[in-house]
């Protein structure tokens, strides 16, 4: 199994809603990543988990709350989002969290629309 | 953090080689350069990676300069299905991306 699975594929939410994005991999990878991608822009790194601990937070607003319950699962909890948070959210994993040597495996993303 | 820059767009005739450059002048000695492509807002797909030496696989070749400050991805015989946005990545940080259009 070389897949990273993201659910849901599409999500529409209001600014007062609370929702969660889910990411799962069964490759035994020990690092997992969240990226945000606006239209026609490159993905921007948000968070990195190494061995289930948050190792990198790229100054992401607190309305985005990551969680890594176990080595196979990564969640992104969303609360009080703004319309400008509408984007494609990509999850990735890599075998080892060594910075600079990450061969990333990407999911197909969740397209989020905030109304 | 590593900063990588790429041309915004390139065209290539079908069947010809596509050469896509990337500037990664702040790369450190033990950091790899990875190349991915993305089609229609799907998840990025791995193409190739390298550290110092040139690399080749069934999809592409990667040429890395001796000072490691830049690299070039080569698609030897571009097809219409190679039309995509190509990214070089260092330290899990994406470059600016090149939109490659393969023209029939």
């Amino acid at each position: 199994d070389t897949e990273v699975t993201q659910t849901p594929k599409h999500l529409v939410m209001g600014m007062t809603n609370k929702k969660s994005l889910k990411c799962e991999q069964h490759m035994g990878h020990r690092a997992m990543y969240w990226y945000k991608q606006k239209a026609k822009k490159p993905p921007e790194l948000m968070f990195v988990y190494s061995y289930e601990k948050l190792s990198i937070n790229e100054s992401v607003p607190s309305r985005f709350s990551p969680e890594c319950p176990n080595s196979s699962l990564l969640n992104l909890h969303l609360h009080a989002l703004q319309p400008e948070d509408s984007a494609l959210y990509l999850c990735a994993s890599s075998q080892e969290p060594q910075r600079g040597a990450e061969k990333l495996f990407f999911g197909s993303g969740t397209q989020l629309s905030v109304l | 953090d590593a900063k990588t820059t790429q041309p915004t767009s390139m065209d290539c005739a079908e069947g010809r080689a596509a050469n896509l450059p990337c500037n990664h002048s702040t790369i450190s000695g033990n950091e790899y350069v990875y190349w991915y492509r993305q089609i229609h807002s799907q998840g990025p797909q791995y193409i190739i990676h390298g550290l110092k030496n040139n690399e080749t696989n069934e999809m592409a070749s990667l040429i890395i300069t001796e000072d490691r400050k830049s690299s070039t991805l080569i698609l030897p015989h571009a097809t219409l299905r190679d039309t995509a946005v190509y990214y070089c990545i260092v330290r899990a940080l994406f470059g600016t991306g090149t939109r490659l259009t393969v023209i029939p």
Side-chain angles (χ1 to χ4, degrees), chain A residues 35 37 41-43 45 58 88 90 99-104 106-108, chain B residues 1 30-32 34 36 38 41 43-44 46 87 91-96:
Chain A
Y35 289 85
Q37 185 176 24
K41 297 291 187 182
L45 184 64
E58 293 283 351
L88 180 69
L90 291 162
R99 203 77 201 273
E102 313 94 333
K103 180 179 177 180
L104 299 166
F106 283 90
S108 55
Chain B
D1 276 338
N30 61 349
E31 293 174 344
Y32 286 76
Y34 291 84
Y36 285 71
Q38 188 177 30
S41 294
Y46 169 81
Y87 293 104
R91 297 186 77 213
L93 300 173
F94 279 72
T96 52

Side-chain angles (χ1 to χ4, degrees), chain B residues 2-95:
Chain B
K3 196 165 182 65
T4 58
T5 56
Q6 302 173 249
T8 302
S9 63
M10 294 181 67
D11 293 339
C12 178
E14 188 177 17
R16 304 297 295 267
N19 297 306
L20 298 118
C22 178
N23 184 312
H24 34 77
S25 57
T26 60
I27 195 169
S28 297
N30 61 349
E31 293 174 344
Y32 286 76
V33 180
Y34 291 84
W35 282 84
Y36 285 71
R37 71 183 183 186
Q38 188 177 30
I39 300 172
H40 297 313
S41 294
Q42 299 173 9
Q45 301 170 321
Y46 169 81
I47 301 172
I48 198 168
H49 74 282
L51 183 63
K52 295 180 183 177
N53 300 321
N54 298 337
E55 302 288 344
T56 294
N57 64 18
E58 65 277 5
M59 291 182 68
S61 294
L62 176 61
I63 308 296
I64 302 173
T65 59
E66 195 168 338
D67 62 7
R68 301 208 330 115
K69 293 185 177 182
S70 64
S71 60
T72 299
L73 177 74
I74 301 172
L75 307 178
H77 305 287
T79 70
L80 299 179
R81 285 180 294 181
D82 292 324
T83 292
V85 180
Y86 288 77
Y87 293 104
C88 58
I89 299 174
V90 177
R91 297 186 77 213
L93 300 173
F94 279 72

Side-chain angles (χ1 to χ4, degrees), chain A residues 43 50 77:
Chain A
S50 300
H77 303 296

Side-chain angles (χ1 to χ4, degrees), chain A residues 33-106:
Chain A
Y33 308 73
W34 280 116
Y35 289 85
K36 174 182 177 180
Q37 185 176 24
K38 302 283 282 183
K40 300 190 185 300
K41 297 291 187 182
E44 296 177 352
L45 184 64
M46 300 174 72
F47 303 104
V48 181
Y49 273 83
S50 300
Y51 296 100
E52 300 157 48
K53 291 191 183 337
L54 183 65
S55 60
I56 295 175
N57 177 340
E58 293 283 351
S59 303
V60 179
S62 59
R63 58 185 183 269
F64 296 91
S65 176
E67 179 196 21
C68 190
N70 58 59
S71 60
S72 299
L73 189 56
L74 184 67
N75 298 318
L76 186 63
H77 303 296
L78 314 173
H79 174 55
L81 294 194
Q82 304 296 311
E84 60 265 28
D85 296 321
S86 298
L88 180 69
Y89 287 84
L90 291 162
C91 174
S93 68
S94 66
Q95 185 168 12
E96 293 293 337
Q98 179 188 346
R99 203 77 201 273
E102 313 94 333
K103 180 179 177 180
L104 299 166
F105 291 74
F106 283 90

